[in-house]
Amino acid sequence: MATLGLSETDKQSLEDFRRDVIEPSRTSLVIVDFWAEWCGPCKQLAPVIEKVCADYAPKGVRLVKVNVDENGFIASQFRVQSIPTVYAVFQGQPVADLTQARTEGQLKQMLDQILGQLPIESDEKAQAQEIAPVIAAGEEALAAGDATQALALFDQAASIAPDEPQVISGQARALTALGQLDEAEAVIDAVPAELGKDAAIERARAALSIARAAKPFADLSGLEARLAADPDDHAAYLELAGGHMANGNRDAAADVLLESIRRDRAWNEGAAKAQLLTLLEAVGLEDPWAGTQRRRLSAILFS
């Protein structure tokens, strides 16, 4: 923006805009709200945009309000013809017009789309990078059967990011593996409502569900004999699968459940399929093993 011929007031307005918007926008997403005291719709929108921007501050979002009566030159540069007008600015350039977003949900949806496309620097991203190696180490410890070490690692991550779903999930799954089921349930129950449906939390919930239902068996030969005598004893299939899961043999559990589904997928309202899906969710749907079992299930269902 050229300053030649500008009044001292406009020059000061431009300098303030550079300081408050242009410079921060080099790394942050700056939301510029053009408004005026006499504008009723502006006052209605203000609480919404202020709350959302405050909520998204850890994601690298800042809010700057520009009074068009006091900053006419800035408003003209942005071709503001009516108010409220709201722009998202990154690296000195408008990247989105948010004016039509009048509710929290609409504004958050638009911001999520923008943040997913731009290299915004934020405390949230820096925090995620810091705890990523700790989470990975915790998952490795769990996979290796060292739930005590896993819990220590997830607790360490929680001291940095207590509301991160992967961290909460890791804590709950480690507690479940240690047999501390009530403690694991308490961790899951304490999850904020907005995170309750996160895939990581669902995974922890599935692992706890399996642990609650499973009963360890030292000898599963009795159940195997029942199935040898009656291959359509689906209750025995489910009990045998539960025994295998409790004993940590997920391959055998999946085999048993898939055989039950192959013989009668509708038995007891699809109980075997439901138990298999719970097992896959507990393992993690992104796990290669889970992917293999899903393909086996699809082959049965669509054959």
Side-chain angles (χ1 to χ4, degrees), residues 30-282:
V30 181
I31 308 305
V32 184
D33 177 19
F34 292 94
W35 70 291
E37 287 287 354
W38 47 265
C39 172
C42 297
K43 293 181 178 179
Q44 291 177 339
L45 179 62
V48 174
I49 196 168
E50 288 168 6
K51 180 181 184 302
V52 172
C53 287
D55 290 344
Y56 275 59
K59 300 178 183 290
V61 175
R62 299 187 181 197
L63 173 63
V64 175
K65 300 176 73 66
V66 176
N67 187 318
V68 297
D69 291 335
E70 299 173 356
N71 300 276
F73 175 71
I74 299 298
S76 68
Q77 293 297 303
F78 277 83
R79 295 182 174 85
V80 175
Q81 298 180 339
S82 63
I83 52 175
T85 290
V86 183
Y87 288 121
V89 177
F90 180 62
Q91 294 184 342
Q93 299 296 323
V95 294
D97 185 346
L98 308 180
T99 304
Q100 299 305 314
R102 298 304 176 92
T103 67
E104 282 190 39
Q106 292 171 344
L107 186 54
K108 286 181 177 180
Q109 184 178 19
M110 295 183 76
L111 286 177
D112 287 339
Q113 291 175 348
I114 297 168
L115 292 170
Q117 297 170 358
L118 298 175
I120 306 296
E121 293 183 11
S122 66
D123 293 342
E124 193 173 86
K125 283 186 178 179
Q127 187 181 80
Q129 291 174 351
E130 182 179 357
I131 65 172
V134 183
I135 293 175
E139 294 292 351
E140 288 178 7
L142 262 183
D146 191 348
T148 300
Q149 176 65 11
L151 181 59
L153 287 163
F154 286 120
D155 284 347
Q156 178 185 338
S159 68
I160 302 170
D163 294 328
E164 167 55 47
Q166 289 183 310
V167 172
I168 298 170
S169 174
Q171 288 178 304
R173 286 182 289 116
L175 288 166
T176 298
L178 289 168
Q180 300 177 33
L181 305 189
D182 291 341
E183 291 83 349
E185 186 170 16
V187 169
I188 295 172
D189 288 345
V191 172
E194 64 272 17
L195 299 180
K197 294 184 178 181
D198 188 277
I201 303 303
E202 293 288 1
R203 181 182 180 187
R205 194 174 284 120
L208 178 60
S209 175
I210 288 175
R212 289 279 193 204
K215 297 178 181 178
F217 288 89
D219 184 4
L220 298 173
S221 59
L223 289 169
E224 291 169 346
R226 276 177 58 185
L227 286 171
D230 181 4
D232 289 322
D233 185 348
H234 293 282
Y237 281 115
L238 263 66
E239 194 172 348
L240 180 58
H244 283 312
M245 286 188 287
N247 293 341
N249 191 344
R250 66 184 187 184
D251 289 328
D255 289 344
V256 168
L257 292 170
L258 286 165
E259 177 61 16
S260 176
I261 296 167
R262 186 186 69 78
R263 288 181 172 276
D264 186 352
R265 68 188 68 174
W267 181 81
N268 196 19
E269 299 182 345
K273 178 183 174 183
Q275 188 166 333
L276 176 63
L277 293 177
T278 299
L279 173 59
L280 300 187
E281 194 166 40

